[in-house]
Amino acid sequence: MKLNQNYANLQESYLFLTIAKKVAAYTEAHPDNHIIRMGIGDVTQPLVPAVIEAMHKATDEMAHKETFHGYSPDQGYDFLREAIQGYYAKRGVALKLSEIFVGDGAKSDVGNIVDIFADDNTVLIPDPVYPVYVDTNVMSGRKVIYLDANEQNGFLGMPDENVKADIIYLCSPNNPTGAVYNRAQLKAWVDYALKNNAVILFDAAYESFITHDDLPHSIFEIEGAKKCAIEFCSFSKTAGFTGVRCGYTVICDELVSDGTKVNTLWARRQATKFNGVNYITQRAAEAVFTDEGQQQVKDVINYYRANAKVMVDAFKEMGVWFTGGENSPYIWHKVPDGMTSWEFFDYLLNEAEVVGTPGSGFGKNGEGFFRLTAFGTLEKTQEAMERLKKLLKK
Ligand SMILES: *Cc1c(COP(=O)(O)O)cnc(C)c1O
């Protein structure tokens, strides 16, 4: 037996482990601490009533022979795919049901999609980045090149005609930077992909945090994108499903490589290696799209948005450079001159008892930056910003 040697090329991720260790050490030395955690990338508000009601109802259905459900259809139940189709239609994006794949979350689909692409593709990945994109390509031994996102381009890397990539990962609104591509910028990426016969893997996990009407929620709002993009979305951040597990992937029939529809390959891959999302969860996800469900999840997102607004106002007042916060639950800010991301982590923990995430943990371009999240409570977010102002206000 031989192991997949590519796993030896994975970079060890000590980011969240190191944070946990540092916080534990501080807590032990200061038992009466008042630490505020702003490093979490998980939601904290409970599922909304419409979702809970649908789950209860579906659970009861499972108890009776007449309404029991076994295996789900491969791509998900029609009732959920129709609800997703309706959600896209509201933005003027027409999808066929066969173009929508219900899955157990965006992480699985973003990670597994590499199965259907040849190993000798060149993959372009932004730096800093959500680590799943890099690691899944390293596991299959693909060549990865990086797209620099930095202060100069507002952490929104743009295509370079001199760089030849076959597979491009984009995440907008972005984790970790909170930056969002506008229509013209996404159009430039679509044009590049069409010209270079490349595919864009578009992660839209945070689309529902977009507030500005002119920013695209879906890459399919851009002309030509159906021919060159795959979109991944999730109920995790939009409806608090991080522990429930449900997401969806969209691959349109227009996306073709050498005469083969990419949709067909993914359908085959899923039918072979995945046996569907459970009925109760799909009913819960369907409830997110009802008028009642939409209003309720909007209220929850508005709660996180209010936290983000408190953070945006504080950083503006402090005069510290940042991205995000306006269409995203993340604020990505510059650390004080002369400090590394980790030095700032220690400084913030020791002087303000606030915990965040060092930007350097997301890639080399993250050095000198820091991520704070809006997934806490309003009271704690306000308190944390008061402490930061005392520390950083010029
Ligand atoms: C949270 C997150 C997801 C969602 O993952 P799930 O598996 O659906 O919970 C996807 N992409 C990014 C960048 C994320 O931060």
Side-chain angles (χ1 to χ4, degrees):
M1 182 270 275
K2 285 189 188 134
L3 290 172
N4 180 345
Q5 289 306 312
N6 295 320
Y7 277 63
N9 299 327
L10 290 168
Q11 281 208 328
E12 217 49 69
S13 177
Y14 297 113
L15 180 62
F16 291 98
L17 196 68
T18 310
I19 292 173
K21 275 189 193 154
K22 281 178 181 273
V23 173
Y26 183 86
T27 307
E28 201 178 304
H30 307 84
D32 55 347
N33 71 79
H34 295 91
I35 287 178
I36 300 178
R37 290 165 203 271
M38 301 189 83
I40 38 165
D42 196 354
V43 297
T44 54
Q45 296 289 312
L47 295 169
V48 300
V51 165
I52 292 295
E53 210 173 290
M55 286 176 121
H56 278 297
K57 187 163 169 275
T59 305
D60 287 339
E61 284 179 51
M62 295 297 270
H64 302 282
K65 202 174 173 188
E66 299 73 31
T67 49
F68 167 78
H69 285 78
Y71 288 123
S72 154
D74 286 336
Q75 290 189 213
Y77 285 103
D78 280 0
F79 62 76
L80 177 53
R81 286 188 296 152
E82 279 161 11
I84 294 165
Q85 187 182 44
Y87 185 66
Y88 274 81
K90 277 188 201 153
R91 292 206 196 92
V93 177
L95 298 179
K96 295 176 204 152
L97 287 196
S98 61
E99 296 174 328
I100 301 166
F101 296 79
V102 173
D104 65 356
K107 188 181 195 172
S108 315
D109 284 5
V110 166
N112 292 329
I113 198 81
V114 297
D115 276 12
I116 65 168
F117 297 111
D119 287 346
D120 58 357
N121 283 299
T122 296
V123 183
L124 181 64
I125 299 182
D127 171 1
V129 76
Y130 179 58
V132 176
Y133 312 152
V134 180
D135 289 353
T136 53
N137 279 290
V138 171
M139 284 173 182
S140 46
R142 274 189 202 83
K143 183 177 173 205
V144 174
I145 55 176
Y146 290 94
L147 170 70
D148 282 326
N150 49 39
E151 190 178 348
Q152 288 69 45
N153 59 26
F155 284 93
L156 291 167
M158 291 303 293
D160 176 348
E161 282 310 326
N162 302 314
V163 174
K164 174 83 185 91
D166 306 304
I167 299 173
I168 301 153
Y169 285 81
L170 297 178
C171 176
S172 174
N174 192 270
N175 175 15
T177 70
V180 191
Y181 283 112
N182 65 29
R183 258 167 228 285
Q185 290 166 325
L186 277 190
K187 179 77 169 69
W189 275 113
V190 167
D191 290 345
Y192 171 93
L194 291 173
K195 193 171 162 201
N196 291 278
N197 205 12
V199 64
I200 296 170
L201 304 181
F202 191 76
D203 186 338
Y206 296 94
E207 62 85 10
S208 60
F209 284 86
I210 292 175
T211 42
H212 297 169
D213 290 340
D214 48 343
L215 291 172
H217 288 242
S218 161
I219 193 159
F220 298 123
E221 292 175 52
I222 310 299
E223 205 192 321
K226 284 184 172 184
K227 283 193 206 130
C228 66
I230 296 177
E231 180 154 290
F232 302 90
C233 207
S234 169
F235 296 94
S236 284
K237 316 297 166 29
T238 59
F241 274 46
T242 51
V244 177
R245 311 306 306 142
C246 197
Y248 51 92
T249 293
V250 179
I251 309 180
C252 296
D253 286 342
E254 289 90 333
L255 182 63
V256 172
S257 175
D258 285 334
T260 302
K261 279 201 278 179
V262 176
N263 178 294
T264 311
L265 256 69
W266 182 242
R268 187 63 212 267
R269 190 269 171 212
Q270 288 299 80
T272 303
K273 294 196 186 182
F274 181 64
N275 241 345
V277 174
N278 70 77
Y279 176 71
I280 300 165
T281 296
Q282 293 196 52
R283 281 293 183 196
E286 179 195 21
V288 171
F289 295 109
T290 60
D291 290 343
E292 197 193 9
Q294 281 290 294
Q295 190 51 54
Q296 291 171 356
V297 296
K298 204 178 268 175
D299 289 345
V300 174
I301 286 172
N302 282 340
Y303 181 86
Y304 298 133
R305 274 195 193 126
N307 294 345
K309 174 83 166 57
V310 168
M311 293 156 72
V312 163
D313 290 346
F315 277 90
K316 281 184 177 162
E317 195 183 323
M318 291 185 285
V320 173
W321 192 93
F322 70 95
T323 55
E326 289 194 322
N327 299 284
S328 154
Y330 299 118
I331 288 246
W332 175 259
H333 71 86
K334 222 173 158 166
V335 306
D337 277 349
M339 270 192 201
T340 65
S341 298
W342 274 113
E343 282 165 357
F344 182 71
F345 176 93
D346 292 333
Y347 179 64
L348 201 60
L349 176 60
N350 287 296
E351 304 301 322
E353 296 193 328
V354 172
V355 178
T357 312
S360 52
F362 299 100
K364 75 168 171 37
N365 289 336
E367 183 58 273
F369 291 85
F370 205 73
R371 191 190 76 172
L372 294 172
T373 83
F375 287 127
T377 65
L378 181 60
E379 298 71 28
K380 289 212 165 145
T381 304
Q382 284 166 334
E383 168 65 23
M385 289 307 112
E386 290 312 312
R387 294 187 200 169
L388 252 77
K389 279 187 222 167
K390 279 195 198 117
L391 211 57
L392 300 180
K393 200 169 162 182
K394 281 164 193 151

